[in-house]
Every structure is written in C-alpha cells, then in structure tokens.
Amino acid sequence: HCTVRNSVLHTFNTQENLHKIEGVITIKPGGDDSVTTRNILVSTTFLELKGEEKVMVSIDDITDIRNAEALMRESEQQHRVIFENSPIGLVHLDETGKIEQFNEKVMEIFSEGEERFSGFRTLDTLENSELKEAIKTAINGEKNVFEGEYTTLLGKKRMHD
C-alpha cells in the first residue's frame, strides 16, 4: 500500500494528476536496521515529453504538522475535561464579551438555563458597570477580581461575593 507507488501508477494509467494525497512512507535511512515512518502528501503530474509519457512526483513531509496536531488534540481534550468538570463556574468570552463556552457549574451558580448563557453579550447587556469593567479587563488578558453584587440574567437571584 505504498502511497507514492500507487499515485504514480494511477497517474500513468489514467493521465489524471493527483494533488496532495496523504499517506505514510517507511524509510530505512542507514546501514542499520532502524526504520522511520513519515507522514507525506503526494502530488503527481502527467507529462508527455518528446513523445514519452512521464510522471512528475512531489512529496511533502508533513510529519511535524501531524505530530503538532496530535499534541493539540490531546491538549484540547485535557482542557475540555478540566473545563467541564471544574468545581467552579468557568466562562469563555470572545473579544466582544459574548459568551462562547460555559460549564454546568455556571448554570448552577446563577440558576439560569443554557439558552440564556449561549451567545449572551455581556458588555451590551449587563448593567453593573464594575462587572463590565472587570470583563473588559479579562478580555484584554489582564488578571482581575470582581467582588460585588450581581443580579442574574433573568433577575431571579441577587448574588454577592
């Protein structure tokens, strides 16, 4: 199942150019028995030169990219587990202050349903100016603490820290 060989044969047989076919190649680099596996993208182009059919092959090594993607997926999974199972309420805001993510603890703390939090525009909707300022500070990447009275979104519950 050699991606390079199969791609070249396909292009010879069909005269169809292939673009970035992903595969894996095993390389035996030296005189020892070590073997290296690399992730690759193969592209082929059918050519006719001086009456002869030829195939030009391009191979891009994407091993580092695939390894980085795997590490990113692992990191995202760890973040998701911590975020979802945190004993404290966590909210993720976009740069405009719109709620993009929140955990169940937030809904429990504020006695609100998911539909009220999803997409909520904090900076446009909240009336408490100190809380708005704390949110702006957080969006700018600065550490801060908000301590004060807050009325939940539907006004059902007054809270104070």
Side-chain angles (χ1 to χ4, degrees), residues 91-100 116-117 119-129 131-136 139 150 153:
V91 177
H92 178 256
L93 306 171
D94 72 6
E95 65 279 353
T96 68
K98 184 176 85 174
I99 294 177
E100 291 192 332
R116 292 293 291 164
F117 279 102
F120 182 76
R121 298 186 170 282
T122 58
L123 298 178
D124 297 338
T125 310
L126 294 175
E127 294 178 9
N128 185 318
S129 60
L131 178 55
K132 278 184 170 182
E133 203 52 46
I135 290 171
K136 287 178 188 176
I139 290 170
Y150 171 74
L153 302 177

Side-chain angles (χ1 to χ4, degrees), residues 42-110:
V42 178
S43 298
T44 59
T45 304
F46 184 81
L47 304 169
E48 258 190 69
L49 299 172
K50 298 180 183 178
E52 290 186 33
E53 295 180 343
K54 302 199 181 275
V55 174
M56 180 172 58
V57 180
S58 169
I59 301 172
D60 295 313
D61 186 342
I62 59 167
T63 304
D64 292 342
I65 293 168
R66 291 298 177 256
N67 290 342
E69 289 171 345
L71 287 172
M72 180 68 81
R73 281 190 301 276
E74 184 180 319
S75 176
E76 287 171 351
Q77 178 61 28
Q78 290 171 349
H79 168 77
R80 190 172 12 269
V81 167
I82 292 168
F83 189 86
E84 291 172 358
N85 298 303
S86 176
I88 60 172
L90 297 174
V91 177
H92 178 256
L93 306 171
D94 72 6
E95 65 279 353
T96 68
K98 184 176 85 174
I99 294 177
E100 291 192 332
Q101 282 183 295
F102 51 91
N103 63 4
E104 287 194 28
K105 190 68 174 177
V106 169
M107 292 185 295
E108 180 185 318
I109 291 168
F110 293 110

